[in-house]
Amino acid sequence: MTLKERLQADLKQAMKAQNQDERDTLRLLLAAIKQAEVDQQVALDDAGVEALLRKQAKQRQESIVAYGEAGRADLVEPEQVELEIIDRYLPQMMDRNEIEALARQVLAELQAEGPGAMGVVMGRLMPQLKGKADGRLVNEVVREILS
């Protein structure tokens, strides 16, 4: 079952269970997928759907931060609910320790030292971690190791 099919099946289950939050979120996601398919004139595969879900999750995270800073707790909660639902469909992200271990391995391979090697290390590391780790966290870990 593809990720898109899983979303559609879960939408049906949410409708039967009368779970409004999940139903509405899944409808939004499926609409975003459909829009991307129309815009790109291709049917999205699992990688494309996953990328779109990551983008949607990132939007929710940014909204949560913005609403929190603005003191709008009433708007933070629905965004958090949507983010939790979206996260169910995304693979688990690597934690800091896993990123650090991989970064140290790349540093050893490249024999890189000092902050000047940041670009080279990130260039080698990011393709390996694409979709598996947050870029900001990777940058932070590499910067700590190199300094």
Side-chain angles (χ1 to χ4, degrees), residues 11 14 16 24 41 60 63-64 71 86 94 102 122 125:
L11 173 61
K16 287 178 183 175
D24 293 346
Q41 298 181 353
R60 299 310 185 285
S63 295
I64 289 169
I86 295 168
M94 294 175 73
L102 194 55
M122 290 297 289
L125 195 57

Side-chain angles (χ1 to χ4, degrees), residues 9-28:
D10 288 353
L11 173 61
K12 289 177 187 173
Q13 291 291 49
M15 290 169 71
K16 287 178 183 175
Q18 296 181 349
N19 182 340
Q20 292 179 345
D21 291 335
E22 190 168 345
R23 179 197 67 199
D24 293 346
T25 302
L26 291 173
R27 281 183 175 165
L28 282 170

Side-chain angles (χ1 to χ4, degrees), residues 2-11 24-57 59-60 85-86 89-90:
T2 66
L3 187 53
K4 184 176 165 184
E5 291 169 345
R6 186 172 153 217
L7 288 165
Q8 291 168 336
D10 288 353
L11 173 61
D24 293 346
T25 302
L26 291 173
R27 281 183 175 165
L28 282 170
L29 295 175
L30 288 167
I33 291 168
K34 184 69 171 172
Q35 184 64 50
E37 289 178 338
V38 168
D39 290 347
Q40 298 172 13
Q41 298 181 353
V42 295
L44 293 179
D45 59 358
D46 275 353
V49 172
E50 186 178 313
L52 189 129
L53 292 178
R54 285 196 193 289
K55 183 177 176 184
Q56 293 290 320
Q59 286 177 350
R60 299 310 185 285
I85 293 169
I86 295 168
Y89 298 96
L90 293 172

Side-chain angles (χ1 to χ4, degrees), residues 115-128:
M118 182 81 177
V120 175
V121 173
M122 290 297 289
R124 175 72 70 83
L125 195 57
M126 285 310 292
Q128 296 176 28

